[in-house]
Short mmCIF file of all heavy atoms in Angstrom, two decimals:
data_model
loop_
_atom_site.label_atom_id
_atom_site.label_comp_id
_atom_site.label_asym_id
_atom_site.label_seq_id
_atom_site.Cartn_x
_atom_site.Cartn_y
_atom_site.Cartn_z
N ASP A 105 0.85 -1.17 0.00
CA ASP A 105 0.00 0.00 0.00
C ASP A 105 0.89 1.23 0.00
O ASP A 105 1.26 1.77 1.05
CB ASP A 105 -0.92 -0.04 1.23
CG ASP A 105 -1.91 1.12 1.25
OD1 ASP A 105 -2.05 1.79 0.21
OD2 ASP A 105 -2.52 1.34 2.30
N SER A 106 1.26 1.68 -1.19
CA SER A 106 2.22 2.76 -1.31
C SER A 106 1.75 3.78 -2.33
O SER A 106 1.15 3.41 -3.36
CB SER A 106 3.59 2.21 -1.72
OG SER A 106 4.55 3.24 -1.82
N GLU A 107 2.01 5.03 -2.06
CA GLU A 107 1.68 6.10 -3.01
C GLU A 107 2.57 7.30 -2.75
O GLU A 107 3.21 7.41 -1.70
CB GLU A 107 0.21 6.50 -2.87
CG GLU A 107 -0.14 7.08 -1.51
CD GLU A 107 -1.60 7.48 -1.39
OE1 GLU A 107 -2.32 7.30 -2.37
OE2 GLU A 107 -1.99 7.95 -0.31
N ARG A 108 2.60 8.21 -3.71
CA ARG A 108 3.35 9.45 -3.56
C ARG A 108 2.50 10.52 -2.88
O ARG A 108 1.31 10.61 -3.12
CB ARG A 108 3.80 9.98 -4.92
CG ARG A 108 4.79 9.10 -5.60
CD ARG A 108 5.34 9.72 -6.87
NE ARG A 108 6.31 8.79 -7.42
CZ ARG A 108 7.56 8.68 -7.00
NH1 ARG A 108 8.00 9.50 -6.07
NH2 ARG A 108 8.37 7.80 -7.53
N VAL A 109 3.14 11.33 -2.05
CA VAL A 109 2.54 12.54 -1.51
C VAL A 109 3.42 13.69 -1.95
O VAL A 109 4.54 13.85 -1.47
CB VAL A 109 2.44 12.49 0.03
CG1 VAL A 109 1.77 13.75 0.55
CG2 VAL A 109 1.69 11.24 0.49
N ILE A 110 2.97 14.46 -2.90
CA ILE A 110 3.78 15.54 -3.46
C ILE A 110 3.60 16.81 -2.64
O ILE A 110 2.47 17.29 -2.43
CB ILE A 110 3.42 15.80 -4.94
CG1 ILE A 110 3.41 14.48 -5.72
CG2 ILE A 110 4.39 16.80 -5.55
CD1 ILE A 110 4.73 13.74 -5.71
N GLY A 111 4.68 17.37 -2.19
CA GLY A 111 4.66 18.43 -1.20
C GLY A 111 3.93 19.70 -1.61
O GLY A 111 3.07 20.20 -0.87
N LYS A 112 4.23 20.24 -2.77
CA LYS A 112 3.66 21.54 -3.14
C LYS A 112 2.14 21.51 -3.26
O LYS A 112 1.45 22.36 -2.67
CB LYS A 112 4.31 22.05 -4.43
CG LYS A 112 5.73 22.54 -4.23
CD LYS A 112 6.30 23.14 -5.51
CE LYS A 112 7.71 23.68 -5.27
NZ LYS A 112 8.27 24.28 -6.50
N PRO A 113 1.55 20.57 -3.99
CA PRO A 113 0.09 20.56 -4.03
C PRO A 113 -0.55 20.21 -2.69
O PRO A 113 -1.65 20.69 -2.38
CB PRO A 113 -0.23 19.49 -5.09
CG PRO A 113 1.00 18.70 -5.26
CD PRO A 113 2.13 19.62 -4.95
N TRP A 114 0.13 19.41 -1.88
CA TRP A 114 -0.40 19.04 -0.56
C TRP A 114 -0.51 20.27 0.33
O TRP A 114 -1.56 20.54 0.93
CB TRP A 114 0.49 17.98 0.08
CG TRP A 114 -0.05 17.41 1.36
CD1 TRP A 114 -1.01 16.45 1.50
CD2 TRP A 114 0.34 17.78 2.70
NE1 TRP A 114 -1.24 16.19 2.83
CE2 TRP A 114 -0.43 16.99 3.59
CE3 TRP A 114 1.26 18.68 3.22
CZ2 TRP A 114 -0.29 17.08 4.97
CZ3 TRP A 114 1.39 18.78 4.60
CH2 TRP A 114 0.62 17.99 5.46
N ILE A 115 0.57 21.05 0.39
CA ILE A 115 0.55 22.23 1.26
C ILE A 115 -0.34 23.33 0.66
O ILE A 115 -1.01 24.07 1.39
CB ILE A 115 1.99 22.75 1.52
CG1 ILE A 115 2.03 23.58 2.81
CG2 ILE A 115 2.54 23.54 0.36
CD1 ILE A 115 1.93 22.79 4.06
N ALA A 116 -0.40 23.39 -0.66
CA ALA A 116 -1.27 24.39 -1.30
C ALA A 116 -2.74 24.12 -1.00
O ALA A 116 -3.53 25.04 -0.78
CB ALA A 116 -1.03 24.39 -2.81
N GLY A 117 -3.12 22.84 -0.99
CA GLY A 117 -4.49 22.48 -0.67
C GLY A 117 -4.86 22.86 0.75
O GLY A 117 -5.97 23.36 1.02
N LEU A 118 -3.93 22.65 1.68
CA LEU A 118 -4.18 23.04 3.07
C LEU A 118 -4.33 24.54 3.20
O LEU A 118 -5.23 25.05 3.88
CB LEU A 118 -3.03 22.55 3.96
CG LEU A 118 -2.94 21.05 4.22
CD1 LEU A 118 -1.64 20.73 4.95
CD2 LEU A 118 -4.14 20.55 5.03
N ASN A 119 -3.45 25.27 2.53
CA ASN A 119 -3.52 26.73 2.62
C ASN A 119 -4.82 27.28 2.04
O ASN A 119 -5.43 28.19 2.61
CB ASN A 119 -2.32 27.35 1.88
CG ASN A 119 -1.10 27.45 2.77
OD1 ASN A 119 -1.20 27.72 3.97
ND2 ASN A 119 0.08 27.25 2.19
N ALA A 120 -5.25 26.72 0.92
CA ALA A 120 -6.49 27.18 0.31
C ALA A 120 -7.68 26.97 1.25
O ALA A 120 -8.55 27.85 1.41
CB ALA A 120 -6.72 26.46 -1.01
N GLN A 121 -7.72 25.79 1.90
CA GLN A 121 -8.83 25.49 2.80
C GLN A 121 -8.78 26.36 4.05
O GLN A 121 -9.81 26.84 4.54
CB GLN A 121 -8.80 24.02 3.19
CG GLN A 121 -10.04 23.54 3.91
CD GLN A 121 -11.28 23.62 3.04
OE1 GLN A 121 -11.26 23.18 1.89
NE2 GLN A 121 -12.36 24.21 3.57
N LEU A 122 -7.60 26.62 4.57
CA LEU A 122 -7.46 27.45 5.77
C LEU A 122 -7.79 28.91 5.48
O LEU A 122 -8.40 29.60 6.31
CB LEU A 122 -6.04 27.33 6.33
CG LEU A 122 -5.72 25.98 6.99
CD1 LEU A 122 -4.23 25.89 7.29
CD2 LEU A 122 -6.54 25.77 8.26
N ARG A 123 -7.40 29.40 4.33
CA ARG A 123 -7.76 30.76 3.95
C ARG A 123 -9.28 30.92 3.94
O ARG A 123 -9.83 31.93 4.41
CB ARG A 123 -7.19 31.10 2.57
CG ARG A 123 -5.69 31.33 2.54
CD ARG A 123 -5.20 31.58 1.13
NE ARG A 123 -5.67 32.88 0.64
CZ ARG A 123 -4.88 33.90 0.31
NH1 ARG A 123 -3.56 33.77 0.44
NH2 ARG A 123 -5.38 35.02 -0.14
N LYS A 124 -9.96 29.90 3.42
CA LYS A 124 -11.41 29.93 3.34
C LYS A 124 -12.05 29.78 4.72
O LYS A 124 -12.93 30.58 5.10
CB LYS A 124 -11.89 28.82 2.41
CG LYS A 124 -13.39 28.72 2.28
CD LYS A 124 -13.78 27.56 1.37
CE LYS A 124 -15.30 27.41 1.28
NZ LYS A 124 -15.67 26.25 0.41
N ASP A 125 -11.61 28.78 5.47
CA ASP A 125 -12.24 28.48 6.76
C ASP A 125 -12.00 29.58 7.80
O ASP A 125 -12.88 29.85 8.64
CB ASP A 125 -11.70 27.15 7.31
CG ASP A 125 -12.13 25.96 6.47
OD1 ASP A 125 -13.01 26.13 5.60
OD2 ASP A 125 -11.58 24.86 6.68
N LEU A 126 -10.82 30.18 7.77
CA LEU A 126 -10.44 31.16 8.80
C LEU A 126 -10.50 32.60 8.28
O LEU A 126 -10.14 33.53 9.02
CB LEU A 126 -9.04 30.85 9.33
CG LEU A 126 -8.83 29.47 9.95
CD1 LEU A 126 -7.39 29.30 10.41
CD2 LEU A 126 -9.80 29.24 11.10
N ASN A 127 -10.94 32.77 7.04
CA ASN A 127 -11.04 34.10 6.43
C ASN A 127 -9.70 34.83 6.48
O ASN A 127 -9.60 35.98 6.94
CB ASN A 127 -12.14 34.92 7.12
CG ASN A 127 -12.50 36.17 6.34
OD1 ASN A 127 -12.39 36.21 5.10
ND2 ASN A 127 -12.93 37.21 7.05
N LEU A 128 -8.67 34.18 5.99
CA LEU A 128 -7.33 34.74 6.00
C LEU A 128 -7.00 35.38 4.65
O LEU A 128 -7.49 34.94 3.62
CB LEU A 128 -6.30 33.65 6.30
CG LEU A 128 -6.44 32.91 7.64
CD1 LEU A 128 -5.41 31.78 7.72
CD2 LEU A 128 -6.28 33.87 8.81
N SER A 129 -6.14 36.36 4.69
CA SER A 129 -5.70 37.02 3.46
C SER A 129 -4.33 36.53 3.00
O SER A 129 -3.78 37.05 2.03
CB SER A 129 -5.64 38.54 3.68
OG SER A 129 -4.71 38.86 4.71
N TRP A 130 -3.76 35.55 3.69
CA TRP A 130 -2.44 35.04 3.34
C TRP A 130 -2.39 33.52 3.51
O TRP A 130 -3.25 32.94 4.18
CB TRP A 130 -1.36 35.69 4.21
CG TRP A 130 -1.31 35.18 5.64
CD1 TRP A 130 -0.49 34.22 6.14
CD2 TRP A 130 -2.12 35.61 6.76
NE1 TRP A 130 -0.72 34.01 7.48
CE2 TRP A 130 -1.72 34.86 7.89
CE3 TRP A 130 -3.14 36.54 6.92
CZ2 TRP A 130 -2.29 35.01 9.14
CZ3 TRP A 130 -3.72 36.71 8.17
CH2 TRP A 130 -3.30 35.95 9.26
N ASP A 131 -1.41 32.91 2.87
CA ASP A 131 -1.19 31.48 3.07
C ASP A 131 -0.48 31.29 4.41
O ASP A 131 0.66 31.75 4.58
CB ASP A 131 -0.33 30.90 1.95
CG ASP A 131 -1.09 30.77 0.65
OD1 ASP A 131 -2.32 30.78 0.69
OD2 ASP A 131 -0.43 30.66 -0.41
N PRO A 132 -1.10 30.59 5.37
CA PRO A 132 -0.55 30.56 6.72
C PRO A 132 0.46 29.45 6.99
O PRO A 132 1.05 29.41 8.07
CB PRO A 132 -1.79 30.35 7.58
CG PRO A 132 -2.69 29.52 6.72
CD PRO A 132 -2.46 30.00 5.32
N LEU A 133 0.65 28.54 6.04
CA LEU A 133 1.54 27.40 6.28
C LEU A 133 2.73 27.43 5.32
O LEU A 133 2.59 27.71 4.14
CB LEU A 133 0.79 26.08 6.10
CG LEU A 133 -0.45 25.86 6.96
CD1 LEU A 133 -1.04 24.49 6.69
CD2 LEU A 133 -0.14 26.03 8.46
N MET A 134 3.88 27.11 5.87
CA MET A 134 5.10 26.97 5.08
C MET A 134 5.69 25.59 5.34
O MET A 134 5.67 25.10 6.46
CB MET A 134 6.14 28.02 5.49
CG MET A 134 5.79 29.44 5.10
SD MET A 134 5.98 29.70 3.33
CE MET A 134 7.74 29.50 3.14
N ALA A 135 6.23 24.99 4.31
CA ALA A 135 6.85 23.66 4.48
C ALA A 135 8.06 23.55 3.57
O ALA A 135 8.27 22.53 2.91
CB ALA A 135 5.84 22.55 4.19
#
């Protein structure tokens, strides 16, 4: 049971959801 987790789209998805959920004007996560 193996798969790739690609960093840039993974962190971008989190940032997009957090911007929406928390009404933020910036990307709050860096990796």
Side-chain angles (χ1 to χ4, degrees):
D105 184 13
S106 181
E107 63 180 359
R108 294 187 179 279
V109 182
I110 310 300
K112 287 184 178 181
W114 187 79
I115 202 73
L118 289 172
N119 274 324
Q121 191 64 48
L122 289 170
R123 286 177 70 117
K124 178 181 178 181
D125 293 349
L126 301 179
N127 193 29
L128 300 175
S129 61
W130 75 96
D131 287 341
L133 303 182
M134 290 287 295

